[in-house]
Amino acid sequence: MSTKLLLCDCAGSQGIDADTIATACDVACSKVHTALCTRELEAAAVALQDGSTIIACGQEQEVFQALAEEVNADVPGFVDLRDRAGWSDQGADAAPKMAALAAEALLPQPITPSVDVFSEGTCLIVGPGDVAFALADRLADTLAVTVLVTDQSEPMSRAYDVVRGRVAALAGALGGFTLRLNAFQQLEPGGRGSFTWTEARDKAQSACDIVLDLTGDTPLVQAPAKREGYLRADPKDAVSVERLAFEAAQLIGTFEKPLYVRMEETLCAHSRAEQVACTNCLNICPTGAITSAGEHVEIDPMICAGCGSCAAVCPSTAITYEDPPVSALLSRMHILARTFRRAGGTAPRLLVHDAYGTELIRLAARFGRGLPADVIPLELSVISGFGHAEMLAGLAHGFARVDVLLAPTTERDALDREVALAQAIAGPDALGVLDEADPDALSDILYGQQVPPPLTDPVLPLGNRRQIARLAAQALNPQADAPLPLPENAPYGAVAVDTDACTLCLSCVSLCPSGALIDNPDKPQLNFQQDACLQCGLCKGICPEDAITLVPQLDLSDAALSQQVLNEEEPFACIECGALFGVKSTVERIMEKLAGTHPMFATSDKARMIQMCDNCRVNAQFQQQDNPFQSNPKPRVVTTDDYFSKRKDH
């Protein structure tokens, strides 16, 4: 069933070219209504009953959703053309942008995978008695409350459990918190007078579904605002404590937890043979959801808050973001740029933002100049995971410039790093970050930007993040005749080998997690494929001669896809059989240092073994009197003649 787009000029406050939108988007459009949410609501009801519908209104979504329920129709989709395009100083020229936004709204969006989280309402309140007991009295009828009192206060109610102690460690999230408690004491309910307490003990363990922190001290977990099920308030702020009580009472039942990221352990370059290499995700994760697990990392999906920073900085694509996946994001950028051009536009700009940016754009449109007609907004749930590959892909799709609009809560560490990397590849004029909280100032910045020309022939980069970045970089640098220098810690580059120091021990080859360093089974040779190098530093750290240096760069030529020789030497020929083995210079160096001086090689016969291949060396050792492989002689096999001989003797 085809989808119909319902258009409305919002009381004549914007101009809408229905024909341009219909042609560029290949979609059926209604006539341009003027009061679709009020006087013409009946027309909306008829359209909803006719089939799949998208309504070009972002403000009155609740009205149309209620209407759909009333007429027993499917819930419609929505696209905001007014605030993002029509209400603008350049609104008369915004037809290409409106068409692009409408085309994006028609794209089906993938569903983020999720898992169910169960909370039975087991609640731990931590804090001083005067506040904690009052809150426990409020929640005892709703939640299974235990108070961990941090002072010497005595409870007056037995409607909930009370213990004393100190939280030494807290792990987990909603529905699965685990605690380790020190100085733990349980209340003894019997007897007259004040309650008595058990003897204090350390390392007590417990579990709960919800934690309410009223200590007012350092939070018990990293990024407390992002930890589901962990609620904290200033014990001196009565309003905050009241709000906390309300929020806690809602945390009973089954909840859907999105699985924001996917981990492919075999691609992870965290470590090999207990030698630590890449720690990008460990260093960048704000919630502590990522931990080392040997040669790879592990991500706790219950703690992960979905910022996407780990996926943005992962050099091997072992971590991929799923909300949305990169393929879905690229599809949105592609349809926006393509439709803008089909509708007559020439040089679109992309403005990436989150819900905070949406509100900023709305305010700029309602009370100010709005967005320029060539600035296409792209809303994401979070922008901290919008990495260099996505930025370069936007330019490759034909956007003249890509800007990321920050929010006060944006995790900036990964984003700043990714912007610097993308600028090194595409140039500083094509990418930027906007940190602006004033709607009018945002409009002024966008209207005043110098816009570079977009790609004449846009491309469609596909694959994983590394492949997308390479394809986009090639399109953006068609005349590059030398590798592009990149910032330190970039995930692309070469390794430089000091051939005078390198002994071709090939330790680097055995530990390289991506297979960028390769040996040659036929002769002593160290080969390198630059396209596969992650710049993780494992080869540099393991090299016993300190012969390796990392060179962050991006070689866009075909040479980066093939092997090149970094170091090679002549093999040594076995003095017994002539078989080639080892490295000639290394064998000669060993002979020079050990022959005639080391006790084990004091004789020429011993020293000769250094010059033998494995097979000849073993044969020579078997023939020596002090053969290390020799054992006691085997006993002679007893035969029938031996038994006859013994009988004759008797």
Side-chain angles (χ1 to χ4, degrees), residues 78-101:
F78 296 93
V79 57
D80 181 6
L81 301 183
R82 186 194 69 183
D83 292 347
R84 298 191 290 172
W87 281 359
S88 164
D89 280 3
Q90 298 178 351
D93 302 321
K97 179 161 72 165
M98 288 186 177
L101 295 173

PDB file of all heavy atoms in Angstrom, residues 78-101:
ATOM      1  N   PHE A  78       5.187  11.104  11.043  1.00  0.00           N
ATOM      2  CA  PHE A  78       5.211  12.570  11.084  1.00  0.00           C
ATOM      3  C   PHE A  78       6.533  13.081  10.524  1.00  0.00           C
ATOM      4  O   PHE A  78       7.586  12.431  10.658  1.00  0.00           O
ATOM      5  CB  PHE A  78       5.040  13.083  12.520  1.00  0.00           C
ATOM      6  CG  PHE A  78       3.714  12.733  13.136  1.00  0.00           C
ATOM      7  CD1 PHE A  78       3.565  11.585  13.900  1.00  0.00           C
ATOM      8  CD2 PHE A  78       2.606  13.540  12.924  1.00  0.00           C
ATOM      9  CE1 PHE A  78       2.346  11.249  14.460  1.00  0.00           C
ATOM     10  CE2 PHE A  78       1.375  13.211  13.485  1.00  0.00           C
ATOM     11  CZ  PHE A  78       1.244  12.066  14.253  1.00  0.00           C
ATOM     12  N   VAL A  79       6.473  14.236   9.899  1.00  0.00           N
ATOM     13  CA  VAL A  79       7.678  14.934   9.457  1.00  0.00           C
ATOM     14  C   VAL A  79       7.456  16.428   9.683  1.00  0.00           C
ATOM     15  O   VAL A  79       6.407  16.978   9.328  1.00  0.00           O
ATOM     16  CB  VAL A  79       7.998  14.625   7.975  1.00  0.00           C
ATOM     17  CG1 VAL A  79       6.838  14.978   7.062  1.00  0.00           C
ATOM     18  CG2 VAL A  79       9.263  15.368   7.545  1.00  0.00           C
ATOM     19  N   ASP A  80       8.436  17.065  10.306  1.00  0.00           N
ATOM     20  CA  ASP A  80       8.326  18.489  10.624  1.00  0.00           C
ATOM     21  C   ASP A  80       8.955  19.302   9.495  1.00  0.00           C
ATOM     22  O   ASP A  80      10.178  19.415   9.405  1.00  0.00           O
ATOM     23  CB  ASP A  80       9.032  18.775  11.954  1.00  0.00           C
ATOM     24  CG  ASP A  80       8.926  20.242  12.358  1.00  0.00           C
ATOM     25  OD1 ASP A  80       8.219  20.993  11.665  1.00  0.00           O
ATOM     26  OD2 ASP A  80       9.575  20.620  13.348  1.00  0.00           O
ATOM     27  N   LEU A  81       8.122  19.834   8.617  1.00  0.00           N
ATOM     28  CA  LEU A  81       8.612  20.705   7.541  1.00  0.00           C
ATOM     29  C   LEU A  81       8.619  22.172   7.952  1.00  0.00           C
ATOM     30  O   LEU A  81       9.390  22.959   7.413  1.00  0.00           O
ATOM     31  CB  LEU A  81       7.743  20.535   6.282  1.00  0.00           C
ATOM     32  CG  LEU A  81       7.659  19.128   5.679  1.00  0.00           C
ATOM     33  CD1 LEU A  81       6.822  19.156   4.404  1.00  0.00           C
ATOM     34  CD2 LEU A  81       9.041  18.575   5.411  1.00  0.00           C
ATOM     35  N   ARG A  82       7.756  22.521   8.888  1.00  0.00           N
ATOM     36  CA  ARG A  82       7.590  23.926   9.248  1.00  0.00           C
ATOM     37  C   ARG A  82       8.792  24.475   9.997  1.00  0.00           C
ATOM     38  O   ARG A  82       9.450  25.422   9.561  1.00  0.00           O
ATOM     39  CB  ARG A  82       6.324  24.089  10.096  1.00  0.00           C
ATOM     40  CG  ARG A  82       5.956  25.521  10.419  1.00  0.00           C
ATOM     41  CD  ARG A  82       4.910  25.560  11.528  1.00  0.00           C
ATOM     42  NE  ARG A  82       5.471  25.124  12.808  1.00  0.00           N
ATOM     43  CZ  ARG A  82       4.758  25.002  13.928  1.00  0.00           C
ATOM     44  NH1 ARG A  82       3.456  25.241  13.908  1.00  0.00           N
ATOM     45  NH2 ARG A  82       5.333  24.631  15.054  1.00  0.00           N
ATOM     46  N   ASP A  83       9.113  23.865  11.146  1.00  0.00           N
ATOM     47  CA  ASP A  83      10.187  24.396  11.978  1.00  0.00           C
ATOM     48  C   ASP A  83      11.553  24.211  11.327  1.00  0.00           C
ATOM     49  O   ASP A  83      12.463  25.014  11.527  1.00  0.00           O
ATOM     50  CB  ASP A  83      10.188  23.700  13.343  1.00  0.00           C
ATOM     51  CG  ASP A  83       8.963  24.064  14.170  1.00  0.00           C
ATOM     52  OD1 ASP A  83       8.264  25.022  13.789  1.00  0.00           O
ATOM     53  OD2 ASP A  83       8.697  23.380  15.175  1.00  0.00           O
ATOM     54  N   ARG A  84      11.722  23.149  10.554  1.00  0.00           N
ATOM     55  CA  ARG A  84      13.033  22.848   9.989  1.00  0.00           C
ATOM     56  C   ARG A  84      13.254  23.459   8.605  1.00  0.00           C
ATOM     57  O   ARG A  84      14.391  23.483   8.133  1.00  0.00           O
ATOM     58  CB  ARG A  84      13.235  21.332   9.918  1.00  0.00           C
ATOM     59  CG  ARG A  84      13.199  20.668  11.303  1.00  0.00           C
ATOM     60  CD  ARG A  84      13.666  19.239  11.244  1.00  0.00           C
ATOM     61  NE  ARG A  84      12.720  18.374  10.559  1.00  0.00           N
ATOM     62  CZ  ARG A  84      12.966  17.100  10.239  1.00  0.00           C
ATOM     63  NH1 ARG A  84      14.155  16.582  10.518  1.00  0.00           N
ATOM     64  NH2 ARG A  84      12.050  16.363   9.648  1.00  0.00           N
ATOM     65  N   ALA A  85      12.176  23.938   7.973  1.00  0.00           N
ATOM     66  CA  ALA A  85      12.346  24.464   6.614  1.00  0.00           C
ATOM     67  C   ALA A  85      11.477  25.685   6.330  1.00  0.00           C
ATOM     68  O   ALA A  85      11.967  26.733   5.917  1.00  0.00           O
ATOM     69  CB  ALA A  85      12.039  23.364   5.591  1.00  0.00           C
ATOM     70  N   GLY A  86      10.150  25.567   6.548  1.00  0.00           N
ATOM     71  CA  GLY A  86       9.230  26.619   6.116  1.00  0.00           C
ATOM     72  C   GLY A  86       9.371  27.918   6.868  1.00  0.00           C
ATOM     73  O   GLY A  86       9.297  29.003   6.274  1.00  0.00           O
ATOM     74  N   TRP A  87       9.553  27.829   8.193  1.00  0.00           N
ATOM     75  CA  TRP A  87       9.720  29.053   8.986  1.00  0.00           C
ATOM     76  C   TRP A  87      11.191  29.453   8.948  1.00  0.00           C
ATOM     77  O   TRP A  87      12.000  29.041   9.778  1.00  0.00           O
ATOM     78  CB  TRP A  87       9.272  28.801  10.427  1.00  0.00           C
ATOM     79  CG  TRP A  87       7.780  28.852  10.584  1.00  0.00           C
ATOM     80  CD1 TRP A  87       6.861  29.098   9.617  1.00  0.00           C
ATOM     81  CD2 TRP A  87       7.050  28.652  11.796  1.00  0.00           C
ATOM     82  NE1 TRP A  87       5.594  29.067  10.136  1.00  0.00           N
ATOM     83  CE2 TRP A  87       5.668  28.795  11.470  1.00  0.00           C
ATOM     84  CE3 TRP A  87       7.400  28.363  13.101  1.00  0.00           C
ATOM     85  CZ2 TRP A  87       4.657  28.661  12.421  1.00  0.00           C
ATOM     86  CZ3 TRP A  87       6.396  28.231  14.053  1.00  0.00           C
ATOM     87  CH2 TRP A  87       5.045  28.386  13.719  1.00  0.00           C
ATOM     88  N   SER A  88      11.530  30.266   7.987  1.00  0.00           N
ATOM     89  CA  SER A  88      12.922  30.653   7.774  1.00  0.00           C
ATOM     90  C   SER A  88      12.962  31.920   6.946  1.00  0.00           C
ATOM     91  O   SER A  88      12.043  32.207   6.159  1.00  0.00           O
ATOM     92  CB  SER A  88      13.669  29.522   7.040  1.00  0.00           C
ATOM     93  OG  SER A  88      14.879  29.971   6.486  1.00  0.00           O
ATOM     94  N   ASP A  89      14.019  32.697   7.113  1.00  0.00           N
ATOM     95  CA  ASP A  89      14.220  33.864   6.258  1.00  0.00           C
ATOM     96  C   ASP A  89      14.314  33.454   4.792  1.00  0.00           C
ATOM     97  O   ASP A  89      14.062  34.262   3.901  1.00  0.00           O
ATOM     98  CB  ASP A  89      15.507  34.595   6.663  1.00  0.00           C
ATOM     99  CG  ASP A  89      15.292  35.472   7.886  1.00  0.00           C
ATOM    100  OD1 ASP A  89      14.171  35.456   8.442  1.00  0.00           O
ATOM    101  OD2 ASP A  89      16.245  36.151   8.315  1.00  0.00           O
ATOM    102  N   GLN A  90      14.698  32.192   4.559  1.00  0.00           N
ATOM    103  CA  GLN A  90      14.807  31.676   3.191  1.00  0.00           C
ATOM    104  C   GLN A  90      13.735  30.623   2.925  1.00  0.00           C
ATOM    105  O   GLN A  90      13.914  29.726   2.106  1.00  0.00           O
ATOM    106  CB  GLN A  90      16.201  31.085   2.964  1.00  0.00           C
ATOM    107  CG  GLN A  90      17.319  32.105   3.101  1.00  0.00           C
ATOM    108  CD  GLN A  90      18.707  31.482   2.918  1.00  0.00           C
ATOM    109  OE1 GLN A  90      18.857  30.272   2.851  1.00  0.00           O
ATOM    110  NE2 GLN A  90      19.710  32.341   2.826  1.00  0.00           N
ATOM    111  N   GLY A  91      12.606  30.733   3.631  1.00  0.00           N
ATOM    112  CA  GLY A  91      11.546  29.746   3.495  1.00  0.00           C
ATOM    113  C   GLY A  91      11.007  29.630   2.077  1.00  0.00           C
ATOM    114  O   GLY A  91      10.570  28.549   1.654  1.00  0.00           O
ATOM    115  N   ALA A  92      11.039  30.729   1.307  1.00  0.00           N
ATOM    116  CA  ALA A  92      10.534  30.691  -0.062  1.00  0.00           C
ATOM    117  C   ALA A  92      11.391  29.809  -0.961  1.00  0.00           C
ATOM    118  O   ALA A  92      10.937  29.357  -2.020  1.00  0.00           O
ATOM    119  CB  ALA A  92      10.464  32.112  -0.630  1.00  0.00           C
ATOM    120  N   ASP A  93      12.645  29.560  -0.540  1.00  0.00           N
ATOM    121  CA  ASP A  93      13.565  28.745  -1.340  1.00  0.00           C
ATOM    122  C   ASP A  93      13.765  27.356  -0.742  1.00  0.00           C
ATOM    123  O   ASP A  93      14.706  26.655  -1.115  1.00  0.00           O
ATOM    124  CB  ASP A  93      14.932  29.443  -1.431  1.00  0.00           C
ATOM    125  CG  ASP A  93      14.825  30.836  -2.029  1.00  0.00           C
ATOM    126  OD1 ASP A  93      14.032  30.997  -2.976  1.00  0.00           O
ATOM    127  OD2 ASP A  93      15.526  31.748  -1.546  1.00  0.00           O
ATOM    128  N   ALA A  94      12.896  26.964   0.188  1.00  0.00           N
ATOM    129  CA  ALA A  94      13.124  25.738   0.957  1.00  0.00           C
ATOM    130  C   ALA A  94      12.472  24.503   0.356  1.00  0.00           C
ATOM    131  O   ALA A  94      12.450  23.450   0.997  1.00  0.00           O
ATOM    132  CB  ALA A  94      12.628  25.931   2.392  1.00  0.00           C
ATOM    133  N   ALA A  95      11.938  24.586  -0.881  1.00  0.00           N
ATOM    134  CA  ALA A  95      11.274  23.417  -1.471  1.00  0.00           C
ATOM    135  C   ALA A  95      12.200  22.206  -1.569  1.00  0.00           C
ATOM    136  O   ALA A  95      11.789  21.082  -1.239  1.00  0.00           O
ATOM    137  CB  ALA A  95      10.699  23.773  -2.838  1.00  0.00           C
ATOM    138  N   PRO A  96      13.456  22.356  -2.029  1.00  0.00           N
ATOM    139  CA  PRO A  96      14.342  21.185  -2.069  1.00  0.00           C
ATOM    140  C   PRO A  96      14.561  20.568  -0.690  1.00  0.00           C
ATOM    141  O   PRO A  96      14.601  19.336  -0.550  1.00  0.00           O
ATOM    142  CB  PRO A  96      15.644  21.740  -2.647  1.00  0.00           C
ATOM    143  CG  PRO A  96      15.226  22.927  -3.448  1.00  0.00           C
ATOM    144  CD  PRO A  96      14.084  23.530  -2.670  1.00  0.00           C
ATOM    145  N   LYS A  97      14.703  21.401   0.336  1.00  0.00           N
ATOM    146  CA  LYS A  97      14.896  20.860   1.681  1.00  0.00           C
ATOM    147  C   LYS A  97      13.636  20.162   2.170  1.00  0.00           C
ATOM    148  O   LYS A  97      13.714  19.098   2.793  1.00  0.00           O
ATOM    149  CB  LYS A  97      15.318  21.962   2.658  1.00  0.00           C
ATOM    150  CG  LYS A  97      15.500  21.429   4.073  1.00  0.00           C
ATOM    151  CD  LYS A  97      16.327  22.329   4.970  1.00  0.00           C
ATOM    152  CE  LYS A  97      15.644  23.572   5.371  1.00  0.00           C
ATOM    153  NZ  LYS A  97      16.318  24.255   6.507  1.00  0.00           N
ATOM    154  N   MET A  98      12.468  20.728   1.913  1.00  0.00           N
ATOM    155  CA  MET A  98      11.230  20.068   2.311  1.00  0.00           C
ATOM    156  C   MET A  98      11.107  18.699   1.644  1.00  0.00           C
ATOM    157  O   MET A  98      10.700  17.720   2.274  1.00  0.00           O
ATOM    158  CB  MET A  98      10.027  20.939   1.941  1.00  0.00           C
ATOM    159  CG  MET A  98       9.854  22.175   2.800  1.00  0.00           C
ATOM    160  SD  MET A  98       8.310  23.026   2.378  1.00  0.00           S
ATOM    161  CE  MET A  98       8.322  24.362   3.572  1.00  0.00           C
ATOM    162  N   ALA A  99      11.454  18.635   0.369  1.00  0.00           N
ATOM    163  CA  ALA A  99      11.391  17.358  -0.337  1.00  0.00           C
ATOM    164  C   ALA A  99      12.352  16.349   0.292  1.00  0.00           C
ATOM    165  O   ALA A  99      12.013  15.169   0.452  1.00  0.00           O
ATOM    166  CB  ALA A  99      11.723  17.567  -1.814  1.00  0.00           C
ATOM    167  N   ALA A 100      13.546  16.806   0.652  1.00  0.00           N
ATOM    168  CA  ALA A 100      14.536  15.910   1.268  1.00  0.00           C
ATOM    169  C   ALA A 100      14.035  15.387   2.608  1.00  0.00           C
ATOM    170  O   ALA A 100      14.157  14.192   2.910  1.00  0.00           O
ATOM    171  CB  ALA A 100      15.861  16.643   1.440  1.00  0.00           C
ATOM    172  N   LEU A 101      13.473  16.269   3.424  1.00  0.00           N
ATOM    173  CA  LEU A 101      12.966  15.849   4.732  1.00  0.00           C
ATOM    174  C   LEU A 101      11.786  14.892   4.589  1.00  0.00           C
ATOM    175  O   LEU A 101      11.653  13.938   5.362  1.00  0.00           O
ATOM    176  CB  LEU A 101      12.553  17.083   5.539  1.00  0.00           C
ATOM    177  CG  LEU A 101      13.692  18.041   5.925  1.00  0.00           C
ATOM    178  CD1 LEU A 101      13.117  19.304   6.575  1.00  0.00           C
ATOM    179  CD2 LEU A 101      14.678  17.368   6.851  1.00  0.00           C
TER     180      LEU A 101
END
